[in-house]
Amino acid sequence: MQPSWPSDEVLTATSPGDMFIWMPKEHLYVLVYLVTVMHSMQGGYMDKAQKYTDKAFTQIEKLKIVDNKPILSVFHLMLLEHIIMCRLVMGNKCLALQEISQACALCKSHPRLLLTHRPQIHTLLGLYAMSMNCMEAAEAQFLAALRTSSERELWNFANLNLAIVYLRAKREPEFTALLERIDPETITSNSHSIRAAAYYVQGLQSFFQARYNEAKRFLRETLKMANAEDLNRLTSCSLVLLGHIFLSLGNSRESMNMVTPAMQLASKIPDVHVQLWASAILKDLYRMCADHSRENEAYTMHCNFSQMLLKDHFQASNMREHDLINWIEGAVPVVSGNPPSTSSAIL
């Protein structure tokens, strides 16, 4: 046995000694898988995150048969929270939505979990709504997360995504009102990735305002921090945006130097949205170079990514679980049956 964090039965304990428990080695296996999933998701290794999520779910199901400890449900929910974000990056909105529904069902059957994880569920619904272009619902979900959480890092994460919602919706006054809370120079955070993401959002705003030199400065800060911490997704997003900026400035050579590694990294993650964006830029670059063979190749690639995302978008919008994006208060809704034990079972 080894020491670890407590189960949800003692989360409200007042004595520091009560917050320390001994964990059986069988539970430690799940904990190791969970930490691996967290690290893989942060670093941008989505396939590895999925692999260890499946291992963890299998172990949890075995343990629940013997003794269904409350801590297993906590592990289960935390695994779902991370794999859902991976699904959205990979362009699997249908799977993400099913797993959000599973998280809601888990909270429904363990009400104490809802007290501590409600803000996270609102945040996940906000990310899903963003991916579906439902910006009003995304805003409502992020605001609900901010209202129901007292955790600083979740506030930062929700505010950064809220800022992107306002940028995409061209709501400049709302973005300006939020600016002080997401300033990378003053943001209160112990997370390297949060600060790097704050620079990216600043760069995105400058790009939308055609202040390209300023945008490049912010994005280079993001790249410096992301490379130092092996944050592959932030690196690929920054590279492709820099590529877009250089294309806008008519500098095709520098644009190619940015977009090519962005595409390679996005394919490794895999991040379908960056691949879609990068393939569109590559198509334009090859046309400018009169390389028609590669232009057609990039065009075909772009069409394939676009069709894949559109098909998944259409399927997700027709699922009953899609209505979850309208839940911002009251009891947690459950709109699906019993969840599969592993992510592979869903597939």
Side-chain angles (χ1 to χ4, degrees):
M1 291 186 174
Q2 297 291 334
S4 187
W5 60 54
S7 73
D8 57 349
E9 292 177 320
V10 294
L11 285 176
T12 56
T14 54
S15 167
D18 292 337
M19 298 296 285
F20 184 92
I21 65 167
W22 291 99
M23 183 174 286
K25 67 177 182 180
E26 292 79 10
H27 289 188
L28 274 180
Y29 295 147
V30 182
L31 179 59
V32 171
Y33 292 147
L34 173 59
V35 172
T36 304
V37 170
M38 288 176 169
H39 184 265
S40 300
M41 190 273 292
Q42 284 283 339
Y45 303 99
M46 302 305 161
D47 289 336
K48 185 177 180 181
Q50 181 176 307
K51 173 185 173 182
Y52 282 93
T53 297
D54 285 345
K55 285 178 176 287
F57 282 163
T58 301
Q59 180 74 3
I60 286 171
E61 289 304 312
K62 288 178 182 176
L63 292 172
K64 281 184 175 180
I65 294 170
V66 179
D67 187 4
N68 192 2
K69 293 284 187 183
I71 192 67
L72 294 176
S73 296
V74 176
F75 286 156
H76 191 169
L77 187 55
M78 293 178 73
L79 284 160
L80 282 172
E81 288 167 0
H82 285 81
I83 198 62
I84 287 163
M85 287 188 277
C86 294
R87 305 291 191 209
L88 292 173
V89 169
M90 297 168 74
N92 296 326
K93 293 183 280 289
C94 290
L95 280 173
L97 191 52
Q98 289 177 23
E99 287 162 341
I100 290 173
S101 180
Q102 290 178 44
C104 289
L106 203 55
C107 287
K108 190 82 171 177
S109 42
H110 298 83
R112 292 184 66 138
L113 282 179
L114 186 60
L115 293 176
T116 50
H117 289 262
R118 183 179 187 130
Q120 287 90 329
I121 292 177
H122 283 304
T123 302
L124 292 169
L125 284 168
L127 293 173
Y128 166 76
M130 278 179 76
S131 75
M132 294 292 288
N133 235 18
C134 300
M135 293 303 164
E136 288 185 8
E139 178 188 15
Q141 291 296 338
F142 290 132
L143 290 174
L146 290 167
R147 280 198 309 271
T148 54
S149 176
S150 57
E151 188 181 329
R152 171 62 61 183
E153 298 299 357
L154 191 139
W155 283 353
N156 290 332
F157 186 78
N159 277 325
L160 286 168
N161 281 284
L162 195 56
I164 294 174
V165 168
Y166 292 147
L167 283 175
R168 287 173 59 178
K170 299 180 179 178
R171 295 169 59 183
E172 191 66 31
E174 289 87 347
F175 179 87
T176 303
L178 197 59
L179 205 51
E180 189 177 335
R181 279 170 274 169
I182 58 168
D183 185 339
E185 300 293 337
T186 59
I187 194 168
T188 306
S189 175
N190 295 318
S191 169
H192 210 74
S193 61
I194 287 288
R195 197 174 299 278
Y199 276 114
Y200 178 81
V201 172
Q202 297 275 6
L204 191 62
Q205 183 209 17
S206 298
F207 168 72
F208 282 139
Q209 295 178 341
R211 292 184 281 116
Y212 296 134
N213 287 331
E214 187 177 278
K216 286 189 286 184
R217 181 170 59 82
F218 285 129
L219 292 170
R220 283 169 180 147
E221 283 297 319
T222 302
L223 279 175
K224 186 168 66 176
M225 298 180 76
N227 287 332
E229 294 293 318
D230 197 24
L231 304 172
N232 288 332
R233 186 159 189 252
L234 265 176
T235 298
S236 65
C237 288
S238 299
L239 285 172
V240 76
L241 183 50
L242 279 168
H244 200 144
I245 289 168
F246 283 118
L247 179 64
S248 301
L249 292 170
N251 190 337
S252 59
R253 184 175 179 178
E254 279 300 313
S255 181
M256 186 71 77
N257 288 340
M258 298 294 114
V259 176
T260 302
M263 176 62 93
Q264 292 169 346
L265 195 52
S267 301
K268 180 183 172 184
I269 291 173
D271 186 330
V272 180
H273 303 89
V274 171
Q275 288 175 297
L276 179 73
W277 190 356
S279 61
I281 297 173
L282 284 172
K283 175 174 62 70
D284 291 342
L285 288 171
Y286 289 132
R287 187 180 67 249
M288 291 167 67
C289 300
D291 189 338
H292 301 303
S293 175
R294 289 186 176 179
E295 180 190 351
N296 290 333
E297 186 182 315
Y299 174 74
T300 301
M301 194 186 307
H302 182 76
C303 288
N304 289 339
F305 290 134
S306 182
Q307 287 169 10
M308 182 173 68
L309 286 169
L310 282 171
K311 181 180 178 182
D312 187 67
H313 185 285
F314 178 76
Q315 290 175 342
S317 65
N318 284 288
M319 291 169 62
R320 287 187 303 153
E321 293 91 336
H322 181 73
D323 289 339
L324 285 169
I325 65 172
N326 300 314
W327 170 64
I328 54 173
E329 58 186 5
V332 59
V334 177
V335 292
S336 66
N338 293 327
S341 58
T342 69
S343 55
S344 296
I346 302 173
L347 290 167

